[in-house]
Amino acid sequence: MVKKAMRAGIIPALFLSLPLPVLSEPKLAMPIDCALGESCFIQNYMDRDPGPGARDFTCAGLSYNDHKGTDFGLPSLAAMQAGVTVRAAASGSVRGRRDGMIDKVYTPKEDARIDGRDCGNGVVLVHDDGWETQYCHMKKGTVHVRNGQMVDAGEPLGQVGLSGRTQFPHLHISVRRAGQPVDPFTPDGDPDACGSGSARAMWIDDILYQPGAVLSAGFSTGVPEYAAIKAGTAAETDIAADAPALVIWGYAFGGRQADVLSLRIDGPEGRFIDKRLLIKKDQAQFFRATGKRLKAPLTRGIYRGTATLIRDGAEVSAQMVSITVQ
Ligand SMILES: [Zn+2]
């Protein structure tokens, strides 16, 4: 019957006369003031695996089980303290906001204090047609929009912080339609499609997918504490010729089993050290360091350090640093 009608051209004519559904999906502006791949990095995407595993929209592992948003991470606490603005991704009105929670690295001991407020200090914006965006883990005392306030796309909401259930300073942004989480990188769904990043995304800008990166690198006179690296205070810039040792370290995210972190120092007399350190298991974040104890003073001059994340023999990301030894 239908076939017959279609052959007669009746159905298409009817179809065309129906009103087309209005597509009012918001286009999303960058929700954070930073240069992606330089001063901030997307460290986790929405989990597209419906089961207990985790995979991002490219079918890689930059996610964790049941993660319902996108995490824009900062390389250090120092960067967070300096102040990085969180901005409305689209125009809308403030449906909820919270401030007053402290900025502190999450451990299970914090559960009672956090009391289910995993988002920490945050903002929920309502857009047209049941769309919402939510911004989490903002810095205490910076959320300066009020309930019911209208905001334009790009308008500041507050600053990136470390409040709620988070272990590193980052902006978590969730996108929802009718209460259901939507991956802004592949809003059309199909978690099995494994897009490469060129799939239709909701972002106004092209956002390059980085499968991992070196967040920071630096010189020091001993192996630094991991806490100092995460704080952004591990890099020593004033190293004397009679230092006890010269060390280079690299801090990275998205490490996968069998990756290599190559650490190298070139000094005034050529190659000082060159080590390739194997990453033995997947690690969301990690650091490695290598160096030499000094039996004689360092030759004065410029030392250049390079930390390179290598996967399957190819460079994923590198950071270069230099110091002058006097
Ligand atoms: Zn998150």
Side-chain angles (χ1 to χ4, degrees):
M1 189 65 198
V2 171
K3 268 186 182 169
K4 212 172 175 183
M6 280 186 76
R7 251 184 258 126
I10 294 165
I11 295 288
L14 275 174
F15 179 76
L16 285 173
S17 69
L18 291 170
L20 290 167
V22 178
L23 289 173
S24 63
E25 174 187 294
K27 284 283 159 205
L28 304 178
M30 269 290 279
I32 172 173
D33 258 1
C34 58
L36 266 175
E38 291 171 36
S39 55
C40 65
F41 302 83
I42 298 181
Q43 297 195 32
N44 293 298
Y45 292 83
M46 192 168 131
D47 178 18
R48 305 302 299 265
D49 183 338
R55 64 162 184 261
D56 62 34
F57 71 101
T58 72
C59 289
L62 285 185
S63 189
Y64 56 88
N65 188 30
D66 217 23
H67 187 236
K68 294 187 169 69
T70 305
D71 292 343
F72 292 82
L74 302 185
S76 68
L77 294 174
M80 175 194 106
Q81 277 144 8
V84 176
T85 301
V86 173
R87 297 181 181 278
S91 56
S93 65
V94 178
R95 198 204 70 185
R97 49 96 67 199
R98 184 195 293 127
D99 201 345
M101 290 178 70
I102 56 168
D103 295 291
K104 189 174 181 191
V105 173
Y106 169 81
T107 66
K109 279 193 291 186
E110 305 293 324
D111 281 337
R113 175 180 64 79
I114 290 174
D115 191 24
R117 299 171 298 171
D118 289 8
C119 178
N121 305 318
V123 175
V124 177
L125 294 183
V126 182
H127 314 286
D128 289 341
D129 290 303
W131 287 90
E132 283 183 355
T133 49
Q134 180 175 15
Y135 310 77
C136 293
H137 313 310
M138 289 162 70
K139 196 197 286 183
K140 184 181 175 185
T142 69
V143 180
H144 58 252
V145 290
R146 36 174 225 286
N147 277 323
Q149 182 181 335
M150 301 296 295
V151 293
D152 288 329
E155 204 169 311
L157 304 175
Q159 289 184 4
V160 178
L162 190 64
S163 61
R165 194 184 175 101
T166 172
Q167 292 178 304
F168 64 105
H170 72 277
L171 168 69
H172 167 112
I173 177 171
S174 286
V175 180
R176 293 187 287 265
R177 183 175 202 182
Q180 293 303 307
V182 173
D183 187 344
F185 289 87
T186 48
D188 298 323
D190 192 7
D192 296 321
C194 300
S196 63
S198 57
R200 191 184 73 86
M202 293 174 70
W203 304 104
I204 293 165
D205 297 330
D206 285 334
I207 295 185
L208 188 71
Y209 180 86
Q210 266 193 303
V214 180
L215 294 164
S216 61
F219 287 101
S220 52
T221 54
V223 175
E225 296 287 334
Y226 198 10
I229 288 177
K230 290 194 239 187
T233 57
E236 295 178 45
T237 50
D238 195 12
I239 293 180
D242 62 353
L246 185 63
V247 169
I248 174 138
W249 52 265
Y251 172 41
F253 81 91
R256 292 199 210 149
Q257 187 181 21
D259 280 357
V260 167
L261 189 69
S262 161
L263 294 171
R264 201 177 75 203
I265 299 175
D266 292 298
E269 294 177 322
R271 186 65 39 92
F272 178 82
I273 199 162
D274 187 3
K275 278 262 173 72
R276 295 168 63 87
L277 303 166
L278 182 69
I279 308 305
K280 291 179 181 149
K281 57 174 180 145
D282 292 1
Q283 283 186 288
Q285 293 187 355
F286 64 93
F287 91 96
R288 293 289 185 276
T290 190
K292 276 187 196 169
R293 285 194 188 289
L294 300 173
K295 295 183 187 95
L298 284 166
T299 305
R300 292 167 207 271
I302 295 171
Y303 288 74
R304 291 190 171 82
T306 314
T308 310
L309 182 63
I310 297 166
R311 182 166 300 158
D312 301 327
E315 176 182 317
V316 173
S317 164
Q319 289 252 353
M320 271 151 278
V321 286
S322 68
I323 47 162
T324 303
V325 172
Q326 293 176 343

